[in-house]
Amino acid sequence: MSDIGVAEIPVDADELPLSEPPLMNALLDGPILRTLLWLAWPNVIALSAGTCVVIAETSYIGRLGVDSLAAMALVFPFVILTMTMSGGAMGGGVASAVARALGAGDTERASVLASHALLISISFGVAFMLGMLTFGPHLLEILGGRGHVLAQAIGYTRIFFGGAVLPWLMNSMAGILRGTGNMKLPSLMLLNASVCQIILGGTLGLGLGPIPQFGMRGVAAGSLTAYLISISVMGWYLFSGRARVVPKVRGLRIQVAMFFDILKVGAVACLSPLQSVLTISIFTHMLAGFGTAVLAGYGIGARLEFMLTSVAFAIGIGSVPMIGMAIGAERVARARRIAWTAALVSFVSVGALASIIAMFPELWVNIFTDDAGVRAASRHYLSTAAPMYAFVGLATAMYFSSQGAAKMLGPVLAQTARLVFIGCGGSWLSTRDATAANFFTLAAVSMVVLGVLSCLSVILTRWGPTRAGVLPIRAAAMPASYSKVPALPAALSVSPLSLDGKAADYR
């Protein structure tokens, strides 16, 4: 047999010699549960420190008085909107885009995507700053803020959102690093930010030694200073060439396609926290009519929900690069297995912790206040709603899995359904002279609705490349002008499974 003849024989990849096996990518080939937990544990530690921030911040705000607690309950939805949109939504979109590029073996594209991600974060940060400084006071008043409570809430808003670019930039840098599979540095920076927030926020809020007491303004300033420190470290790491992806600056050409690759996930994902905050805001407005004690009690319970959801966040954000790389490599079946593994771990872990607090609410409530009315309202809310936090954890895992697959519409619609459920149910209860306990039950049921619909959205949504069908060839007379076109050799023919010649996995 001639050399030419041998060269024309296509060789199956499975029959290649085993002397030099390809390097194994743990995110693409490693055991799913073990790899997921390995990626998640740095985030769990960092977000546990974030839990300490929630406890410490609420504790020293409680020392400022019940009015300050109520003011924080008013501001809290907008702060959460900023952090979840910049970190979970757009940050996840950035991680997904970078991971998909790396999964396809295109490091240059990943670097250009990183640069565009930073531009997006600055733009969104400026938009938040202008929006909240202009309309924030009016929004807080609509939510039920009055008198001294409203004044303290406005003071916090002006400081925090005056530096809104900082949390956006910090979370975008973290998203770039997470997309490469580096969970340790972003988590370390979150840990650093948490420690600095506790120290600086408490010092500036309550006053220490020669430092005067700045109240709510000081708490906000402490948060921004902590973010700035983390930005400095991650920026140095990214631009010094130590990261797997270096944001391209020199010779960068702005490309609409790069913005689209990030925003098709990140922008759509932003609708979910936006609706979530709108849901919380509507619910807060409904509870404001029951008095300051009920509002402050609900605020304490809502902070626990945020804290426990951060556990699901840690697991979910760990699944994004795994799923993104699997989708980029067209291994859709593996991507789905990762998604359901993350969902199960999130549901069980969040549900176990929340159930303990539901049975013993004093473990959480007594940390923050001595006011009997606030304690009673918070205990009632937690005993009713906390067992359902597991479904919020489930929805969070589905949300991040969908980010990795770049299929965000389903989880967003699930959040829309929860918003409509709260709005319609709350309106109906308002016409029935319902008690605060009835509204707490409404909140609990809405969490179940969110979790179930989020799972259904993943089940019903097709992941991976669209099947590219090949038009059938009819037996017809060929014009004479085509008779001179040579046929392709069999070894060069393209499989109808995909347009780029790769055998795609459509499971």
Side-chain angles (χ1 to χ4, degrees):
M1 183 177 292
S2 67
D3 291 341
I4 296 176
V6 173
E8 290 180 349
I9 299 176
V11 180
D12 193 328
D14 294 334
E15 297 176 1
L16 291 173
L18 300 178
S19 57
E20 296 183 2
L23 293 176
M24 181 176 179
N25 185 338
L27 273 67
L28 275 174
D29 304 300
I32 290 176
L33 180 59
R34 187 171 66 187
T35 305
L36 179 64
L37 295 178
W38 179 253
L39 291 173
W41 76 260
N43 295 320
V44 171
I45 293 176
L47 293 169
S48 297
T51 300
C52 296
V53 172
V54 172
I55 296 173
E57 193 174 81
T58 308
S59 179
Y60 51 67
I61 288 175
R63 291 175 182 271
L64 294 172
V66 175
D67 285 349
S68 296
L69 277 175
M72 196 63 206
L74 288 175
V75 174
F76 190 64
F78 301 105
V79 175
I80 289 301
L81 178 63
T82 303
M83 301 309 294
T84 54
M85 284 184 71
S86 62
M90 193 62 69
V94 170
S96 173
V98 171
R100 282 182 279 113
L102 293 176
D106 196 342
T107 305
E108 175 67 18
R109 179 182 177 86
S111 297
V112 177
L113 282 167
S115 301
H116 285 71
L118 296 179
L119 294 175
I120 290 173
S121 67
I122 293 172
S123 301
F124 272 75
V126 171
F128 263 69
M129 178 185 70
L130 296 176
M132 287 303 296
L133 292 181
T134 304
F135 303 107
H138 183 59
L139 292 173
L140 294 171
E141 190 174 359
I142 290 175
L143 290 180
R146 298 291 184 272
H148 192 51
V149 172
L150 178 61
Q152 292 197 57
I154 291 174
Y156 184 98
T157 299
R158 286 175 176 167
I159 299 297
F160 185 87
F161 289 98
V165 172
L166 297 180
W168 276 92
L169 199 55
M170 179 185 72
N171 285 319
S172 183
M173 289 181 175
I176 294 170
L177 291 169
R178 285 171 176 145
T180 67
N182 183 347
M183 297 289 168
K184 292 183 180 179
L185 182 59
S187 299
L188 181 61
M189 289 302 97
L190 283 179
L191 179 62
N192 171 75
S194 299
V195 173
C196 291
Q197 272 185 273
I198 293 174
I199 297 173
L200 296 173
T203 300
L204 296 174
L206 297 176
L208 180 65
I211 300 175
Q213 184 182 94
F214 292 101
M216 297 288 284
R217 290 181 175 86
V219 176
S223 298
L224 293 180
T225 306
Y227 300 154
L228 184 58
I229 295 171
S230 296
I231 288 171
S232 301
V233 176
M234 285 191 289
W236 166 79
Y237 186 83
L238 280 169
F239 289 99
S240 66
R242 287 168 171 79
R244 185 177 177 185
V245 169
V246 180
K248 187 173 183 179
V249 176
R250 183 175 299 176
L252 175 67
R253 291 173 54 249
I254 304 299
Q255 302 177 45
V256 175
M258 297 297 168
F259 286 127
F260 178 76
D261 199 13
I262 296 171
L263 294 175
K264 73 179 182 181
V265 177
V268 177
C270 282
L271 295 176
S272 186
L274 181 63
Q275 292 180 113
S276 178
V277 168
L278 183 57
T279 301
I280 295 173
S281 300
I282 292 173
F283 198 71
T284 300
H285 177 70
M286 292 174 179
L287 290 179
F290 291 98
T292 302
V294 171
L295 183 60
Y298 166 69
I300 292 174
R303 287 205 152 211
L304 176 67
E305 179 182 342
F306 168 71
M307 183 200 79
L308 293 182
T309 304
S310 67
V311 176
F313 177 97
I315 298 166
I317 200 67
S319 73
V320 171
M322 292 180 69
I323 293 174
M325 289 189 183
I327 292 295
E330 298 185 0
R331 297 175 61 179
V332 181
R334 175 179 172 84
R336 286 194 173 275
R337 288 196 297 271
I338 296 168
W340 292 116
T341 302
L344 179 61
V345 174
S346 297
F347 183 83
V348 172
S349 56
V350 173
L353 294 171
S355 297
I356 293 173
I357 299 298
M359 291 185 290
F360 308 103
E362 293 82 5
L363 294 174
W364 178 256
V365 177
N366 292 354
I367 297 174
F368 306 111
T369 182
D370 295 325
D371 186 276
V374 176
R375 283 187 172 187
S378 189
R379 283 196 298 267
H380 199 166
Y381 175 77
L382 289 174
S383 62
T384 304
M388 301 300 108
Y389 288 171
F391 289 92
V392 179
L394 182 63
T396 301
M398 294 290 94
Y399 173 83
F400 282 109
S401 295
S402 298
Q403 279 188 336
K407 301 289 185 179
M408 282 305 303
L409 183 59
V412 169
L413 292 178
Q415 192 64 251
T416 303
R418 185 193 186 190
L419 173 61
V420 172
F421 183 83
I422 286 286
C424 294
S427 298
W428 184 81
L429 288 175
S430 298
T431 62
R432 297 293 188 278
D433 295 326
T435 64
N438 298 131
F439 282 92
F440 294 162
T441 302
L442 176 68
V445 176
S446 74
M447 297 173 193
V448 179
V449 171
L450 175 64
V452 171
L453 291 181
S454 295
C455 285
L456 287 176
S457 73
V458 171
I459 293 172
L460 299 176
T461 300
R462 185 184 188 85
W463 285 8
T466 305
R467 183 182 295 274
V470 178
L471 294 175
I473 300 176
R474 294 183 180 180
M478 183 178 293
S481 59
Y482 289 91
S483 61
K484 297 179 182 180
V485 179
L488 287 173
L492 299 180
S493 62
V494 178
S495 169
L497 288 178
S498 65
L499 291 176
D500 60 1
K502 296 178 182 178
D505 179 358
Y506 294 101
R507 288 170 285 181

